[in-house]
Amino acid sequence: MTVIHHRYATVRGQRLFYREAGPADGPAIVLLHGFPTSSFMFRNLIPALADRYRVIAPDHLGFGLSAAPPADEFDYTFDALADLTAGLLDQLEVRRYAMYVQDYGAPIGWRLALADPDAITAIISQNGNGYDAGFIPNFWRTVWDYHRAQTPETEAGIRGALTLETTKWQYLTGVPDETLVSPDTWHHDFALLSRPGNDAIQLALFRDYATNPPLYPALHEYLRHRLPPVLAAWGRNDPIFGPDGARAFATDVPDAEIHLLDGGHFLLESAGTEVAELIRDFMTRVTAGR
């Protein structure tokens, strides 16, 4: 049985929870989760990688088991979450690492890569968007309306994303066999999402998401210039980030490996074994190349 450590660290005065497993001297893989989940989404992937790799999966501030200071006491932005992640990795003396990014993990990961390009050994994107082509308008129209104007009407639309129904929708939409997805997932996420004051945290991050697409040109330049190994393992039926977001990586990294799998936004829940096999094969070649 794989030994997984469940730890806390204080970074910039904030208490962050993270899961860690694998050999301390192994190549590092940092797993960055999305909304509205936490490192809990990697509970099965970590053991599948930890025989060979040092795997680190933090909970972002305001998510999972990390601290969640009120939104009027902490400025919740993607810049701030990336800064805390960088601080955690510095404490753990992780200088070089591959990143696995999903949903919110992507804009956090892109900031880390742009701030310290030499640190990144590879990029694994599982429905982690970096291109305008990836946005599915039917979902994002509500977010874009909120970006244009914060009114009672646009806020009500965004608050719909904080419900149990929508959390379940994120897990099940596009999954070919819904019985593969444990109801524990959406109930676990919703319980943490529903903590007092967490709605204000999530609204702040929805507002700040407007800062992410303007970073894309810098990301694309980084990809073209550095040509990091890229694996996109993407749920093709994701109603939030469509498969064009995966294909787009090949425009800047011609050797990017693109795999469109039959699944949705949280692909690990229904195709975790397949994703783990893709990552292991990819990382074997990455580490051999080093």
Side-chain angles (χ1 to χ4, degrees):
M1 180 179 292
T2 302
V3 176
I4 301 176
H5 299 277
H6 304 84
R7 293 178 164 139
Y8 289 90
T10 300
V11 180
R12 320 275 200 258
Q14 303 296 336
R15 194 168 190 246
L16 299 181
F17 173 82
Y18 65 100
R19 302 169 198 253
E20 184 174 18
D25 59 352
I29 303 178
V30 177
L31 310 178
L32 300 175
H33 70 82
F35 167 88
T37 187
S38 64
S39 61
F40 180 76
M41 71 172 281
F42 301 119
R43 66 200 179 280
N44 298 319
L45 181 63
I46 292 172
L49 302 177
D51 62 321
R52 189 178 304 173
Y53 303 101
R54 182 185 182 189
V55 186
I56 299 165
D59 287 356
H60 309 313
L61 196 74
F63 293 81
L65 300 179
S66 286
D72 58 359
E73 296 179 9
F74 184 87
D75 187 16
Y76 283 90
T77 66
F78 287 91
D79 283 345
L81 298 186
D83 183 62
L84 288 171
T85 305
L88 174 65
L89 296 178
D90 185 62
Q91 280 194 27
L92 299 179
E93 298 184 346
V94 177
R95 310 299 181 208
R96 299 262 293 163
Y97 58 94
M99 65 167 70
Y100 177 119
V101 298
Q102 193 265 349
D103 191 81
Y104 275 12
I108 293 169
W110 307 150
R111 284 165 169 80
L112 295 174
L114 293 173
D116 189 2
D118 291 333
I120 308 304
T121 61
I123 293 171
I124 302 158
S125 177
Q126 185 260 293
N127 300 74
N129 203 50
Y131 293 84
D132 289 339
F135 291 112
I136 300 292
N138 282 347
F139 174 85
W140 285 96
R141 193 169 291 113
T142 299
V143 181
W144 295 333
D145 288 345
Y146 188 54
H147 289 166
R148 281 190 288 269
Q150 284 86 62
T151 67
E153 291 75 21
T154 60
E155 181 177 313
I158 287 293
R159 283 184 176 276
L162 309 182
T163 64
L164 178 60
E165 180 182 4
T166 300
T167 305
K168 178 180 178 181
W169 173 86
Q170 286 194 67
Y171 274 97
L172 295 185
T173 301
V175 177
D177 181 357
E178 293 184 358
T179 67
L180 295 174
V181 183
S182 170
D184 295 335
T185 55
W186 60 82
H187 284 286
H188 177 275
D189 287 357
F190 181 69
L192 293 170
L193 192 62
S194 301
R195 289 173 293 178
N198 198 264
D199 57 341
I201 293 171
Q202 301 308 328
L203 290 173
L205 287 171
F206 271 116
R207 290 192 296 271
D208 194 63
Y209 203 95
T211 66
N212 294 330
L215 283 181
Y216 290 171
L219 168 67
H220 303 161
E221 175 59 26
Y222 155 76
L223 293 172
R224 287 192 298 270
H225 177 67
R226 292 282 182 155
L227 293 175
V230 172
L231 167 67
W234 211 274
R236 68 168 75 243
N237 307 318
D238 185 353
I240 300 171
F241 296 118
D244 285 345
R247 297 185 185 103
F249 282 103
T251 64
D252 294 307
V253 181
D255 292 335
E257 301 178 24
I258 313 298
H259 298 268
L260 302 178
L261 307 182
D262 194 11
H265 190 63
F266 288 111
L267 185 63
L268 292 178
E269 299 302 326
S270 60
T273 299
E274 190 172 357
V275 173
E277 289 173 353
L278 289 171
I279 293 172
R280 289 179 66 87
D281 175 66
F282 172 72
M283 288 299 300
T284 296
R285 288 180 279 111
V286 167
T287 53
R290 290 171 60 192

